[in-house]
Amino acid sequence: MKPTTVIAATLIAVGLGYVLWSAVWQRSAEQSQPVLEAGALVNVLLPESLSPEAQLGKRGFDAKCAACHGRNAAGRDGVAPPLVHIIYEPGHHGDESFQRAAALGVRAHHWRFGDMPPVTGVTSSDVAKITAYIRALQRTNGIN
């Protein structure tokens, strides 16, 4: 076989390999990137699974919190902040701050959304489960 044929065949093989690798990598990257929902303030990656407590918390969050804080705690533009955000990491806003926010409301201090009213119809046990859900979302998104 001529050296030019070997070189041409090698270049073709490398080119095809690159095209295939790039197509697979691009598809994989697209699948791992969440799509920012309309009105959401942050992208939120979802955990592969939730503990039983966090599963109950998701239900509670969807019923009592999502209307303002958005689906999967991604926030809602002009309404309420995302809870999957470094500001709400456990070292800055511990679990008790979620209990107090639900029971007493919150005066605006980190964001320009206005005050949060108390949340009616949730018990401290409900809030603990909702917090477990929020913490699971935060961990999945690198907020520990």
Side-chain angles (χ1 to χ4, degrees):
M1 192 180 281
K2 295 183 182 178
T4 54
T5 305
V6 171
I7 291 172
T10 302
L11 290 174
I12 290 171
V14 168
L16 286 173
Y18 174 77
V19 167
L20 290 173
W21 172 81
S22 130
V24 169
W25 181 83
Q26 180 71 23
R27 188 176 315 117
S28 172
E30 287 171 359
Q31 290 172 347
S32 68
Q33 295 299 315
V35 174
L36 189 62
E37 292 185 24
L41 297 174
V42 296
N43 286 324
V44 176
L45 294 171
L46 301 177
E48 289 184 24
S49 64
L50 294 169
S51 70
E53 182 180 34
Q55 288 175 16
L56 291 172
K58 180 180 182 344
R59 286 189 210 140
F61 182 91
D62 290 346
K64 291 292 187 172
C65 310
C68 294
H69 287 285
R71 204 166 135 209
N72 300 312
R76 285 193 52 217
D77 191 23
V79 180
L83 299 175
V84 179
H85 191 281
I86 192 68
I87 286 177
Y88 298 103
E89 61 94 12
H92 188 254
H93 281 88
D95 293 358
E96 182 59 28
S97 66
F98 288 95
Q99 290 286 347
R100 293 179 57 77
L104 305 172
V106 180
R107 291 183 68 192
H109 59 288
H110 287 301
W111 307 90
R112 296 182 182 194
F113 294 103
D115 298 341
M116 176 183 147
V119 181
T120 59
V122 293
T123 65
S124 62
S125 177
D126 295 333
V127 175
K129 292 174 180 102
I130 290 168
T131 303
Y133 170 63
I134 293 167
R135 296 301 190 208
L137 290 172
Q138 289 175 338
R139 281 190 302 275
T140 300
N141 287 275
I143 302 167
N144 298 329

